[in-house]
Amino acid sequence: HRAVLAGVSDVLRAKFAGTFSDAGGSTWEPEVGSAEAWHWTLRWIYGHEDALPPSLLVEVLLLADHFQIESLSAGILAYPMDDIAEEVVCHLLQAWACPEVLGALARRCVPLVVHSTDVWNAMWDSRPQNVALFARFVPVLCEMDRLRLLCSYVLGSRSFTEGRFDPQERKDEEPRFFPDCLLSAVGWDAFPVEVLEG
């Protein structure tokens, strides 16, 4: 497989031909990705035209991006998402990494599924970087609503999706920090300077 993998990815070519420890071994065990995602990817590299299951779409895109298999990334990003948007967003919320390429999927899929209880339940249980990716594309009336959503997430309160926001709801617990990745999900330029300085 090494020669074939090296033919589709400069990253894998360098890995197998250079001075990396992977270059000399008789086998290579990828550090990222599930067996199912790699199996589908290898079949694609060998020219098989199997349909990409929605359950693997996000992970295969992560592998394609991580190993710079550009034609695979482009094909996935061109894939119609309307009928599978909810499943894609749930997988975005559980992804093992959140590179910018996932932003293209989130931009297309998140607005289609904001009324899904399953998606919101998945969001509350996700890591901050995945929530930031999701929240960046949630349609809101104003950026303050996005900030309220993120504050609710940090506080561990589901009150935001129940139509109320009460930052005092969990006042008996220790203070929580606001992860930097969540800050990047907010369009701070939409706030008046006086609000940001106050």
Side-chain angles (χ1 to χ4, degrees), residues 48-75:
H48 294 272
E49 295 185 13
D50 302 342
L52 177 57
S55 62
L56 293 178
L57 190 139
V58 170
E59 190 173 10
V60 170
L61 179 59
L62 284 172
L63 291 175
D65 182 66
H66 186 76
F67 292 103
Q68 297 178 6
I69 307 172
E70 294 173 12
S71 57
L72 180 54
S73 292

Side-chain angles (χ1 to χ4, degrees), residues 1-2 16 27 65 98 105 110-111 113 141 151 168 181 183 193:
H1 294 299
R2 287 176 188 247
F16 297 141
T27 61
D65 182 66
C98 292
L105 283 183
V110 169
V113 299
L141 292 175
C151 287
Q168 300 300 316
C181 61
L183 294 173
V193 174

Side-chain angles (χ1 to χ4, degrees), residues 162-181:
E162 295 166 2
R164 57 189 175 80
F165 175 70
D166 183 5
Q168 300 300 316
E169 187 175 294
R170 298 180 61 113
K171 62 184 173 189
D172 58 323
E173 291 189 12
E174 294 179 24
R176 297 177 184 229
F177 71 98
F178 203 87
D180 288 346
C181 61

